[in-house]
Amino acid sequence: MAASDSERPYRTWMCVVCGYIYDEAKGAPEDGLAPGTRWEDVPETWTCPDCGVTKADFELYEG
């Protein structure tokens, strides 16, 4: 049985172009993403606030 969103740990995603880190726990409030916003809930139209690339240019970050 899969863990609910509230039970699974937050993850971080890194922009492969500029290295910007999106942390699900912190969100990106300055870009309209509240703390706790899961990566799959980030709109496809969202772009990296540092370099402007799309979600497709982010990878799961295990840092």
Side-chain angles (χ1 to χ4, degrees):
M1 191 164 151
S4 71
D5 275 352
S6 62
E7 295 170 349
R8 103 177 130 89
Y10 287 112
R11 298 171 296 171
T12 55
W13 299 81
M14 184 177 74
C15 176
V16 298
V17 175
C18 73
Y20 172 85
I21 300 291
Y22 176 76
D23 184 333
E24 292 178 332
K26 295 177 183 174
E30 63 282 358
D31 295 306
L33 301 174
T37 301
R38 298 290 185 174
W39 185 245
E40 56 269 18
D41 296 326
V42 172
E44 291 300 322
T45 55
W46 182 81
T47 58
C48 176
D50 286 353
C51 73
V53 298
T54 65
K55 280 180 65 177
D57 291 303
F58 279 74
E59 292 182 350
L60 185 60
Y61 179 68
E62 306 284 352

